[in-house]
Amino acid sequence: MTSLERILSRVERPARYVGGEFNAVVKDWDKTPVRIAFAFPDVYEVGMSHLGLHILYHVVNSREDALMERVFAPWTDMEREMRREGLSLFSLESHRSLADFDVLAFTLQYELSYTNVLNMLDLAGLPTAAHDRRAGMPLVVAGGPCAFNPEPLAPFLDAVFLGEGEEGLHDLVEVVKKHGRTRSSRAELLRALAGIPGVYVPCLYRAEYASDGTLAGVRPVVSGIPERVRKRVVQDLDQAAYPTKPIVPYLEAVHDRAMLEVFRGCTRGCRFCQAGAIYRPVREKNPGILLAQAAELLKNTGYDELSLTSLSTTDYSRIGELVGALVDRHQGEQVNVSLPSLRVDAFAVELARAVQAVRKSGLTFAPEAGSQRLRDVINKQVTDEDLLQAVGAAFAAGWHRVKLYFMLGLPTETLDDIAGIARLARRVLERGRECGVARGRLNVTVSTSSFVPKPHTPFQWEAQTPLPELRERQAFLQGALRGKNLVYRGHEPETSFLEAVFARGDRRLGAVLTRALELGCRMDGWRECFRFDLWQRAFSETGLDPGAYANRTYRYTDVLPWDHLDTGVDREYLAAEHQRALTGETTPDCRGQECAGCGLCPGLAVEPRVLEAGGGAG
Amino acid sequence: MRVRLVYRQEGPARFISHLDVMRAFERAARRAELPLAYSQGFNPRPKLVFAAPLPVGTSGCREYVDLELEGDLAPEEVLDRLCRNLPGGLVPFGARSAVGPPLMSLVRRACYLAAGDLPRGFSAGHLEEGIARFLARREIAAERKTAKGIRRKDIRPGIHRLKAQSDGDRLKLTMKLEAGSARNVRPDEVVRALGVDLELDAESFNVLRTAVLSREGVLLWDL
């Protein structure tokens, strides 16, 4: 019996660590020149729900000269056993140590997974610091949304990939194939990587600080590499590689269903939303292609649910006919079509009603803020009336539980805006009673999280509301929401605080991450593992003030830690949007005729693709 | 019609829980485009009936599942299509049509083969004596984790046969245990309890279920 087998009998859900799932690709290791491990810094069930994993797995494994395997962060019980047995972190496909791979490709989806990145390197027996890794050791690369400010992780990463990987990953494979096998000079390899559009090599840029400790700039230290690294973007999503044979996990993943990406990008321009900024422009896929991909997906996976995943799926120009056609074609096979997020209006609810034969759960809407004033500030173009019509339609259609999602601590927020959340929730409740929902079953749940100012958004200059104030506002809302049929769920503000610190942080935070890991911080996104006291200790021992990152208001003239990374959206546009926010002016959806002028399309030589409404699908 | 399938569960797939195995079969049947019958109601489920859950970590070389199909399809065809659509560690190797009471209601016994490390200096006589002493106990306690917490249970009445055979530094245990009823006993419970008595390294044991039987001791395949 191997030591892995022995360990597996001691841990929860051993299926997380064995692989062997349907559609997993196991290639001949010795005959494949470039070997990449896709590393997801969270547990299996979370990572397997991530569409990006399936896309990149497909992109790399479609090549004859490259393979991609998977590795996830082991849960704490598994980590303990692995360390006790001296077992190196291994991939699920070939069960090889991560140290055997040419590239470890981490995805950064969430700031609170950063300690897991370091921990996974350590578990593989690799030095966490990039400058300690020698020739022959894997390249550590990261991508994903948080890669748009990777500075806190800069000391640990060899390269960072900005933007969409479908095409850029091929460039990476080519460079690794050319330089990696000889493994002669790591410096040479890094230099070559920095020549790939969209690739940022942190060690080739130096962070400089002013005498008061503020950042003065992050600048190239060698010639011939860009001052600002610009993201990659796929021009034609219809032609882009799409995984219609994704791995089907044994374990129930968080999203345990077939995922069909209907479009990429979002046109709404909510000012707090980083995804809305970094995935621009909107690119809708052709309904004929979507129908064909849906059929293949269902046939190749056996899933009984198909989720239309995009940032705001109901915005798809031909959503009605797409959903109609999907239901027509697949209802006979007992397939449910699902919409992950519902726009706040009656049309969206009508659509949900049409596809969901069973009202298995409640519906969730995200008005984000409690007053019209504040919703104008954040450019969330939803009115009280939109929400009341939406919930009215939901109650009339037989749903009796409604969940409303808001943020606390948004810029300019006052207590009256928070009271507005409670007022709105009560009106929703009232609408439920008017619609005749039985009092015993009627339920309105208000869920809040704390606003986190994110890089590359109009709110990037804004400070996060300080922790004590966030706690007070939560308590205030809790008090205002007492009552029958009302439930309030707050989110720990401490996690949002750390999220803000690392979202807005610079390279100096690397020391905090290292210390936090030593102190035992990991799986910080999990309530049962999160140890704020240890984090506070890590900050104080490294002499850094987390508040100086999270609660600092930047001036437009300040250098931001992510200024050398370019999403394609003009900084001037973000500043103008920020100004408009403060005066409560809204900006129209760029789906319409009016272009708000964010500068992305001309800059990246790309065009938004919005289909004409109507017409036959297919 | 109902098709009875016999399959092996091996390799990494032995670490899959019963619930996940059920889902894997459902999805394989859908990929294979088998005309599965569905239950009625708000949440229709395909009608798949398994003989007996296999404990996580245990392999099986003759496991059974009954598939209820709408309409007729040759069992060989069902077998062929499922073979192509199941993940690696779930390997069907026989199919026949079946009638009678639900599969799981027939199960009363299961046979296992457990192999692990034999401590140094353990003679055959020593071993035989140890097993005899173990079986002579009036009560053998095992702790089982349930949803309601840890429950103590006497497993002795559910141990119908236990034999040991040494082979160099390896110990092989063959067991016939109660299955499919409230008195069921898991093979790892026996190995662990015996491990305490004989000072064995219980974690070194690999367990394989070799047969699932009815009350009369008939293989489910032959019913």
Side-chain angles (χ1 to χ4, degrees), chain B residues 124-142:
Chain B
H126 218 104
L127 190 62
E128 216 160 291
E129 199 186 311
I131 298 280
R133 219 166 347 137
F134 180 72
L135 289 176
R137 282 166 53 174
R138 202 175 307 155
E139 192 200 54
I140 299 173

Side-chain angles (χ1 to χ4, degrees), chain A residues 336-350:
Chain A
N336 270 313
V337 178
S338 67
L339 303 162
S341 59
L342 278 193
R343 197 169 70 193
V344 186
D345 59 31
F347 168 78
V349 173
E350 184 50 39

Side-chain angles (χ1 to χ4, degrees), chain A residues 164 231-237 262-266 278-285 606-610:
Chain A
E164 297 163 352
K231 78 163 183 186
R232 294 287 288 263
V233 61
V234 173
Q235 298 273 352
D236 185 354
L237 224 50
V262 176
F263 62 89
R264 198 170 291 173
C266 177
I278 62 181
Y279 294 113
R280 284 177 184 225
V282 73
R283 283 147 293 158
E284 294 190 337
K285 283 161 71 173
V606 62
E607 285 197 11
R609 182 156 179 262
V610 179

Side-chain angles (χ1 to χ4, degrees), chain A residues 386-407:
Chain A
D386 290 331
L387 177 66
L388 291 170
Q389 278 184 11
V391 298
F395 290 133
W399 277 284
H400 42 82
R401 283 197 305 136
V402 164
K403 193 169 151 193
L404 304 175
Y405 172 81
F406 297 91
M407 271 185 277

Side-chain angles (χ1 to χ4, degrees), chain B residues 118 121-131 164-168 171 198:
Chain B
L118 185 66
F122 228 82
S123 71
H126 218 104
L127 190 62
E128 216 160 291
E129 199 186 311
I131 298 280
Q165 196 192 339
S166 61
D167 178 10
L171 170 60
L198 302 189

Side-chain angles (χ1 to χ4, degrees), chain B residues 85-172:
Chain B
N85 283 286
L86 276 162
L90 297 171
V91 188
F93 58 91
R96 45 160 278 203
S97 62
V99 288
L103 192 50
M104 64 211 203
S105 70
L106 302 170
V107 177
R108 284 296 174 274
R109 302 279 186 274
C111 299
Y112 301 89
L113 175 65
D117 297 341
L118 185 66
R120 248 172 233 283
F122 228 82
S123 71
H126 218 104
L127 190 62
E128 216 160 291
E129 199 186 311
I131 298 280
R133 219 166 347 137
F134 180 72
L135 289 176
R137 282 166 53 174
R138 202 175 307 155
E139 192 200 54
I140 299 173
E143 284 182 345
R144 195 178 289 186
K145 272 188 213 158
T146 67
K148 289 177 195 156
I150 291 174
R151 203 164 53 91
R152 247 176 81 94
K153 168 176 174 141
D154 178 17
I155 58 171
R156 181 59 191 92
I159 304 176
H160 299 296
R161 192 177 69 210
L162 172 64
K163 282 187 176 160
Q165 196 192 339
S166 61
D167 178 10
D169 57 354
R170 301 288 289 164
L171 170 60
K172 280 185 184 165

Side-chain angles (χ1 to χ4, degrees), chain A residues 548-559:
Chain A
Y549 292 99
N551 308 123
R552 174 172 171 201
T553 305
Y554 284 112
R555 289 164 304 182
Y556 294 141
T557 50
D558 285 335
V559 173

